[in-house]
Amino acid sequence: MSQLTNEYLVELAREFGSPLYVYNANQISDQYAKLEAAFSECNARFFYACKALSNINILKYVESIGASLDCVSINEVKLGLKAGFTPDRILFTPNCVDFAEIDEGKQLGVNLNIDNISILEQFGTKYGGSYPICIRFNPHIMGGGNYKISTGHIDSKFGISIHQMRHIERVVKSTGLHVAGIHMHTGSDIKDVNVFLQGLEVMFELATHFPKLEFIDLGSGFKVPYQDGDVQTDIELLGKKVTEAFKAYEKETGKKIQVWFEPGKFLVSESGYFIVKANVIKQTTATVFVGVNSGFNHLIRPMFYEAYHRIRNISNPYGSERIYTVVGNICETDTFAWDRTLNEVREGDLLVFYNAGAYGFEMSSNFNSRLKPAEIMVLDGKAHLIRKRDGFEDLLRNQIEVL
Ligand SMILES: *Cc1c(COP(=O)(O)O)cnc(C)c1O
């Protein structure tokens, strides 16, 4: 299924108002099909990293197409269970949580990914080898678009350094821990297939330390195109190379090992469209601003990561092109795009941000006491409201008036 058309997006904004998040579910299954095709020759499992977008309907949809789920908090685990994932299809990969949260994951029966030696010790002391676990390593490979979204560098808080293997081995030996998997995730926006292949080499070496190993989890960070001409991770090539590497490993060791991945962005980024309205056109001495009825409280990626989102004027798609700086209404620097060429924008026009499926609504807030937008899921061409727009009362929910 292809992208949603401008006309259709305008229609949705007319019906449901703006600002509005729209997700085209069929694009998620298209992306999933690409992964399945690329890795059809090896024993692969895909865990959707639901921190990218966790509306319960999206989770149910992802469940229905056969993917598994990667969760970073116990609440994501519970949402996954509620959405119909069985515990064996959930992987819990938290960071800096206390032992109680890991223990809760164990009680719920999900796959556990542990990234701290002190937690490994506590888990091993309490459960020995009775419950298989996965260990998250930091392979010290630099991947990822920029420092904020890279997790493989030497001072990253994620994973256990591969240089601490002797310590890990001591813990495993003394507690009898059953290590069924090893994991790495070096960041996001990794366009170079070699980052994964280098990581895999490191993982194969680590694998020799764990005789009961059943899977190697290579995380994610697959890059999707955000701008015209952007490079993306070549999934077909990655599939081919990873399959070759696993076949060679199997031949050499006689061991059959699964490969797991945790795509977030890759599955949902392009399925998402964020529609806003141009409230004002503001000409200053230097710049023409388009001020829209949204801000970084709804889509923080440009301000937070300097992320680029393609923008189109869907109300005037053939208007003459002009250069604008697109800004939000938050009372702080709040710029979505600098010096962007758009078809002439008039007050009241609707603009769409593409690639709004991943880390869009999910990172939204009520900053400036503004309301969170509604969310729509389009499935087989039919639009469903999957979250109502916040109302004024939502701002006071959980507040206790004591004066
Ligand atoms: C965020 C995250 C992912 C997903 O990363 P994307 O770049 O969205 O694909 C996968 N695994 C873990 C452990 C994560 O924290």
Side-chain angles (χ1 to χ4, degrees):
M1 162 130 345
S2 48
Q3 291 209 358
L4 300 179
T5 63
N6 293 341
E7 296 76 21
Y8 185 63
L9 292 171
V10 169
E11 243 176 69
L12 289 180
R14 227 172 253 145
E15 184 176 349
F16 297 101
S18 75
L20 187 69
Y21 272 100
V22 179
Y23 315 114
N24 186 15
N26 301 75
Q27 283 178 256
I28 300 175
S29 59
D30 285 354
Q31 290 295 95
Y32 187 64
K34 282 185 204 166
L35 288 176
E36 286 210 304
F39 292 90
S40 60
E41 300 290 312
C42 70
N43 194 354
R45 289 182 71 185
F46 304 101
F47 292 74
Y48 165 51
C50 69
K51 74 172 189 283
L53 175 62
S54 68
N55 185 289
I56 190 77
N57 298 281
I58 298 294
L59 299 186
K60 285 182 178 179
Y61 182 73
V62 169
E63 194 281 327
S64 77
I65 62 177
S68 296
L69 203 67
D70 182 53
C71 301
V72 293
S73 74
I74 197 69
N75 295 324
E76 285 186 355
V77 169
K78 290 176 186 171
L79 286 171
L81 291 169
K82 185 166 165 51
F85 290 90
T86 48
D88 59 304
R89 284 171 70 197
I90 295 179
L91 172 63
F92 184 29
T93 307
N95 173 256
C96 290
V97 299
D98 61 9
F99 184 73
E101 191 167 329
I102 301 275
D103 214 4
E104 199 175 349
K106 191 240 165 217
Q107 302 313 329
L108 294 170
V110 301
N111 297 292
L112 299 177
N113 197 353
I114 296 179
D115 89 333
N116 186 337
I117 291 180
S118 84
I119 298 278
L120 272 185
E121 271 172 343
Q122 290 175 71
F123 195 88
T125 305
K126 188 158 178 193
Y127 298 114
S130 65
Y131 195 89
I133 53 131
C134 175
I135 299 179
R136 178 173 187 169
F137 282 93
N138 182 349
H140 303 303
I141 291 170
M142 276 303 288
N146 63 47
Y147 192 80
K148 275 194 187 165
I149 57 176
S150 173
T151 56
H153 45 81
I154 192 79
D155 52 357
S156 169
K157 70 172 182 144
F158 294 99
I160 303 172
S161 169
I162 49 176
H163 304 307
Q164 289 171 293
M165 183 54 112
R166 303 232 339 239
H167 192 171
I168 293 173
E169 280 188 310
R170 273 204 306 279
V171 173
V172 170
K173 202 163 163 225
S174 65
T175 61
L177 268 175
H178 176 178
V179 182
I182 51 177
H183 167 275
M184 64 168 236
H185 170 72
T186 56
S188 198
D189 276 0
I190 304 169
K191 45 183 181 264
D192 187 357
V193 164
N194 285 319
V195 170
F196 293 98
L197 298 177
Q198 276 171 32
L200 183 54
E201 283 312 308
V202 175
M203 299 305 264
F204 281 147
E205 204 289 310
L206 297 180
T208 60
H209 298 261
F210 304 106
K212 289 188 181 161
L213 204 73
E214 290 162 33
F215 62 90
I216 291 177
D217 184 338
L218 295 179
S220 172
F222 302 152
K223 181 164 168 45
V224 296
Y226 277 84
Q227 326 193 18
D228 297 327
D230 235 4
V231 213
Q232 55 184 310
T233 314
D234 186 341
I235 291 295
E236 275 171 37
L237 180 67
L238 182 66
K240 190 166 159 277
K241 295 280 184 192
V242 166
T243 305
E244 280 169 15
F246 271 87
K247 289 222 161 106
Y249 180 82
E250 215 174 293
K251 215 166 161 190
E252 203 182 300
T253 62
K255 286 187 182 152
K256 275 195 193 309
I257 298 231
Q258 277 189 346
V259 59
W260 291 10
F261 289 101
E262 303 160 351
K265 213 176 250 184
F266 183 82
L267 287 178
V268 297
S269 175
E270 287 159 300
S271 78
Y273 304 78
F274 182 47
I275 308 171
V276 301
K277 180 171 70 84
N279 276 341
V280 293
I281 308 297
K282 184 168 189 174
Q283 173 102 45
T284 68
T285 46
T287 306
V288 185
F289 289 102
V290 181
V292 302
N293 65 346
S294 178
F296 71 71
N297 55 321
H298 294 161
L299 178 65
I300 202 173
R301 299 189 71 257
M303 288 306 298
F304 198 41
Y305 306 120
E306 275 127 56
Y308 182 103
H309 285 263
R310 275 186 305 126
I311 304 174
R312 281 215 73 182
N313 180 353
I314 52 177
S315 297
N316 190 21
Y318 304 107
S320 52
E321 291 185 338
R322 305 242 163 106
I323 292 176
Y324 298 96
T325 290
V326 182
V327 293
N329 55 18
I330 291 298
C331 289
E332 265 200 44
T333 305
D334 183 11
T335 308
F336 285 119
W338 285 261
D339 296 335
R340 194 65 75 81
T341 304
L342 297 172
N343 300 102
E344 184 182 358
V345 184
R346 304 149 309 181
E347 292 183 353
D349 279 358
L350 296 168
L351 308 185
V352 62
F353 291 81
Y354 294 96
N355 284 88
Y359 312 110
F361 183 89
E362 203 63 28
M363 294 175 92
S364 65
S365 75
N366 291 110
F367 189 42
N368 280 203
S369 293
R370 297 218 169 258
L371 309 179
K372 289 195 191 183
E375 292 178 288
I376 303 291
M377 179 172 76
V378 178
L379 180 58
D380 300 329
K382 192 173 179 322
H384 306 268
L385 180 66
I386 57 171
R387 179 194 297 269
K388 24 176 218 186
R389 188 174 301 289
D390 269 0
F392 180 72
E393 64 287 358
D394 291 310
L395 298 177
L396 288 163
R397 190 158 34 105
N398 293 339
Q399 291 194 41
I400 297 167
E401 288 187 67
V402 293
L403 295 180

